[in-house]
Amino acid sequence: MKTVGDCFVRDRRSDRVALVDGSGREYDAHWLCTSSWKAGNFLRHTGVRRGVTVGVVGDGPLALLAFFGTALLEGGTRFDPPMDLASAEDLRTLVAPADAVTRYQLPPGAQRVCYGGDPPAPDVHHFDAGLWSENPSFPPLSIDSGTPLLVDSEGAVTHGEAMAAAGAVAEEYGIDAGTRVAVRAPLSDLRTVIAGILAPLAADGVIVLGDPSGTSEIAVFADGEGGQISDRVIPLDAVALDGY
């Protein structure tokens, strides 16, 4: 797969488990695909498009939907951005929990989107409510593999770079259909997103957020430790990405 968009084509919708949240709740691939389309449709209303950045705060299912929706719109995602974003001219939208969304300083014209609670101010969009009311379909995609996908303080990683690195991780660690991959490193590190989110997503594996049961076959750790909760551990240093 060359872009994240390739993971969300119609024929990938199925009833297989694709995501497990921190409470152990399971979400199937049909839900993940359709909800990501809805997220893209919703975020388009806030001005998300190619060439802009979306700040995403949090690491639960709604944070992932914001990332996937942004990717489908050819925007770049910066997970857990700094509180002061006033000088980030390319930042178009911030998606954050309701109790934190107004704490961030944004550049002029940027939009605030909250989830997990009622909007704390009239100008804050409600992701939860807007997401479920959106159209559960998406226009055909044609994303260039050179489009920026993930952004941090050092720069950007493109769709093509991220998906190539994710494919290499999946091959090296045997991630395939049904493999459970627990995310135990911060999403603010681009390598966590590649190894813990994109690798199982592309391989029809299962993204496990927090791994409450401790039964995942593979776990992604920042320091490479913690093998007692998994048969295999992916240290972030194993992600082949230039500059990391």
Side-chain angles (χ1 to χ4, degrees), residues 17-96:
V17 177
L19 174 68
V20 181
D21 68 16
S23 70
R25 180 180 177 183
E26 297 181 344
Y27 303 81
D28 63 30
H30 190 286
W31 178 91
L32 187 62
C33 187
T34 303
S35 297
S36 295
W37 294 343
K38 288 183 177 183
N41 289 329
F42 176 82
L43 291 171
R44 183 184 283 113
H45 299 316
T46 71
V48 179
R49 61 190 184 279
R50 183 183 175 92
V52 306
T53 298
V54 175
V56 176
V57 181
D59 55 8
L62 289 178
L64 288 191
L65 292 183
F67 164 50
F68 295 143
T70 297
L72 296 179
L73 294 172
E74 301 182 272
T77 294
R78 183 171 186 176
F79 280 103
D80 288 330
M83 303 293 287
D84 187 355
L85 294 164
S87 61
E89 296 181 359
D90 61 332
L91 187 116
R92 178 56 186 163
T93 302
L94 175 76
V95 182

Side-chain angles (χ1 to χ4, degrees), residues 2-229:
K2 296 182 179 180
T3 74
V4 170
D6 295 334
C7 299
F8 292 99
V9 294
R10 286 187 178 277
D11 60 9
R12 286 177 59 83
R13 295 181 299 177
S14 73
D15 60 0
R16 68 173 181 83
V17 177
L19 174 68
V20 181
D21 68 16
S23 70
R25 180 180 177 183
E26 297 181 344
Y27 303 81
D28 63 30
H30 190 286
W31 178 91
L32 187 62
C33 187
T34 303
S35 297
S36 295
W37 294 343
K38 288 183 177 183
N41 289 329
F42 176 82
L43 291 171
R44 183 184 283 113
H45 299 316
T46 71
V48 179
R49 61 190 184 279
R50 183 183 175 92
V52 306
T53 298
V54 175
V56 176
V57 181
D59 55 8
L62 289 178
L64 288 191
L65 292 183
F67 164 50
F68 295 143
T70 297
L72 296 179
L73 294 172
E74 301 182 272
T77 294
R78 183 171 186 176
F79 280 103
D80 288 330
M83 303 293 287
D84 187 355
L85 294 164
S87 61
E89 296 181 359
D90 61 332
L91 187 116
R92 178 56 186 163
T93 302
L94 175 76
V95 182
D99 60 0
V101 69
T102 57
R103 300 176 190 170
Y104 289 78
Q105 299 181 46
L106 305 185
Q111 303 290 305
R112 299 178 194 268
V113 176
C114 77
Y115 65 87
D118 293 331
D123 62 345
V124 177
H125 303 277
H126 196 183
F127 195 41
D128 310 54
L131 187 65
W132 311 133
S133 64
E134 272 296 342
N135 188 345
S137 63
F138 203 81
L141 297 170
S142 181
I143 301 173
D144 188 287
S145 61
T147 301
L149 171 68
L150 293 163
V151 180
D152 67 6
S153 60
E154 302 299 320
V157 173
T158 67
H159 278 252
E161 292 168 336
M163 295 308 293
V169 167
E171 181 176 358
E172 180 177 354
Y173 287 88
I175 301 172
D176 53 20
T179 303
R180 293 168 56 93
V181 180
V183 182
R184 289 179 171 265
L187 296 180
S188 55
D189 192 311
L190 310 188
R191 298 170 298 176
T192 303
V193 181
I194 289 169
I197 305 298
L198 298 181
L201 177 70
D204 288 341
V206 183
I207 302 164
V208 184
L209 304 176
D211 192 22
S213 64
T215 59
S216 288
E217 294 135 280
I218 300 175
V220 178
F221 273 86
D223 56 9
E225 298 178 355
Q228 70 278 6
I229 61 92

